Amino acid sequence: MNKEEQVMISFRELFNKMAWLNKSKMEDSFKGYKSSEVHYIECIGKNVDSNVTKLAESLYMTRGAISKMTKKLIKKGLIENYQKPDNKKEIYFRLTEEGQRIYKVHEKLHKEFQERDKVVFDQVTEKQLDSMLSFVENYSKHLDAEIEKHGIDIKSDEFD
């Protein structure tokens, strides 16, 4: 196995371990909610004036999938839609009081997980972090180019 394969396998294992460790706390904290719903709530909570297009770009999902989920979240009372007085065409989303509660619990858990893992990051130099961030950024740009090269528009509804 070459080093590139080792890196990719290590990334997958790392992600899977984090997901496994975090899973029970996340499930206990969000009974009755699916992880995808919590991620939408997180995205809307972090982005002011979220609309279907903005959410599709942030979550790498189609606009059709976003529309379905936002309807579901509105029905559950977690988000509400609104329009700006100067733009009656565009529909935006914001968290309701219950959505805010879920968002705050989610943020608290992320901080807790970050604190748990701080011992590792305390051992990493600034230069090492910069190197890792550079690699991830370069790889992400490469994947964006590959997506574009294949004519895949993740923001369209072509996969629905």
Side-chain angles (χ1 to χ4, degrees):
M1 179 182 334
N2 66 33
K3 287 191 180 190
E4 288 87 359
E5 290 171 320
Q6 287 177 325
V7 166
M8 294 308 295
I9 288 169
S10 295
F11 274 143
R12 273 189 225 107
E13 286 179 355
L14 186 66
F15 177 79
N16 289 338
K17 286 176 187 178
M18 285 173 51
W20 185 85
L21 271 172
N22 299 350
K23 185 179 179 182
S24 64
K25 265 203 171 165
M26 295 291 268
E27 286 175 349
D28 289 346
S29 299
F30 301 115
K31 280 185 170 56
Y33 299 106
K34 294 178 181 166
S35 65
S36 58
E37 293 172 333
V38 175
H39 285 341
Y40 275 71
I41 289 168
E42 176 189 27
C43 192
I44 293 168
K46 286 187 178 194
N47 296 292
V48 178
D49 294 334
S50 292
N51 60 21
V52 169
T53 302
K54 212 179 206 182
L55 290 170
E57 289 171 358
S58 296
L59 296 167
Y60 291 90
M61 307 220 19
T62 66
R63 289 189 300 261
I66 297 295
S67 292
K68 287 176 193 169
M69 181 59 86
T70 53
K71 286 175 186 163
K72 192 176 186 182
L73 294 176
I74 288 169
K75 195 173 181 177
K76 284 189 166 190
L78 300 171
I79 65 171
E80 60 189 7
N81 59 20
Y82 66 96
Q83 293 177 305
K84 293 181 179 182
D86 59 334
N87 182 356
K88 293 293 182 188
K89 182 183 166 198
E90 193 66 52
I91 295 173
Y92 299 94
F93 304 101
R94 64 180 162 228
L95 301 177
T96 61
E97 202 173 301
E98 178 63 7
Q100 280 287 343
R101 187 190 70 74
I102 300 264
Y103 177 75
K104 287 175 185 170
V105 169
H106 188 258
E107 289 298 296
K108 183 178 168 257
L109 286 174
H110 270 285
K111 284 184 178 137
E112 191 179 308
F113 300 150
Q114 212 172 3
E115 192 60 36
R116 174 197 67 205
D117 300 337
K118 191 177 183 322
V119 64
V120 175
F121 288 94
D122 285 347
Q123 299 172 31
V124 179
T125 67
E126 196 72 24
K127 188 176 179 180
Q128 288 171 318
L129 283 172
D130 288 341
S131 180
M132 287 185 267
L133 287 170
S134 176
F135 170 76
V136 169
E137 185 179 315
N138 287 337
Y139 193 32
S140 182
K141 285 179 184 176
H142 163 72
L143 294 176
D144 288 341
E146 286 297 309
I147 289 168
E148 192 172 320
K149 186 167 86 177
H150 287 87
I152 300 168
D153 182 4
I154 59 171
K155 296 169 216 134
S156 78
D157 293 330
E158 78 180 65
F159 296 114
D160 284 349

